[in-house]
C-alpha cells in the first residue's frame, strides 16, 4: 500500500491506496465532498465525483498506472485539501 503525503489533512481523514483501491476514511461524517484524482504527468483528471450524502468512508477502485504521480484533491464547504502520491 502507498501512503499519500499531504499537509493539514491528518486531522480530517486517513487515506491509503492498495492495488488501485483508494480508501478515504473521514474521522467524522462530511455532508458532501468532491474527490478528484489528477495525473500529474498529463494534468488529466482521472477521477472526479461529488458525494452529496453524508459519508465517512469512501472506497474508489481506480485504474492508475504504476510509476505515475497523482494528486488527490478533496473539496468541501469546510476544507480544500490535496496530497500527491505515486504508485
Amino acid at each position: 500500500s502507498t501512503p499519500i503525503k499531504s499537509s493539514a489533512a491528518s486531522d480530517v481523514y486517513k487515506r491509503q491506496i492498495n492495488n488501485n483501491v483508494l480508501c478515504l476514511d473521514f474521522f467524522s461524517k462530511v455532508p458532501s465532498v468532491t474527490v478528484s484524482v489528477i495525473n500529474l504527468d498529463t494534468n488529466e483528471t482521472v477521477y472526479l465525483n461529488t458525494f452529496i450524502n453524508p459519508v465517512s468512508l469512501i472506497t474508489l477502485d481506480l485504474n492508475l498506472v504504476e510509476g505515475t504521480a497523482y494528486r488527490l484533491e478533496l473539496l468541501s464547504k469546510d476544507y480544500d485539501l490535496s496530497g500527491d502520491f505515486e504508485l
Side-chain angles (χ1 to χ4, degrees):
S1 64
T2 304
I4 299 172
K5 300 178 189 103
S6 59
S7 60
S10 60
D11 58 344
V12 175
Y13 72 104
K14 179 175 70 172
R15 62 263 172 228
Q16 191 159 341
I17 190 162
N18 192 11
N19 294 328
N20 279 332
V21 176
L22 175 63
C23 295
L24 305 172
D25 187 359
F26 294 89
F27 297 131
S28 61
K29 283 193 174 185
V30 290
S32 71
V33 62
T34 299
V35 178
S36 59
V37 178
I38 300 161
N39 179 322
L40 293 178
D41 295 338
T42 64
N43 207 31
E44 175 189 4
T45 300
V46 296
Y47 181 86
L48 176 64
N49 194 9
T50 299
F51 298 85
I52 56 172
N53 293 324
V55 64
S56 60
L57 179 65
I58 298 173
T59 303
L60 309 172
D61 191 359
L62 302 171
N63 187 20
L64 304 178
V65 178
E66 194 169 326
T68 301
Y70 295 92
R71 173 166 292 140
L72 169 67
E73 295 179 345
L74 303 174
L75 180 63
S76 78
K77 68 179 184 97
D78 296 325
Y79 50 80
D80 182 356
L81 302 170
S82 67
D84 298 347
F85 64 98
E86 187 172 321
L87 294 183

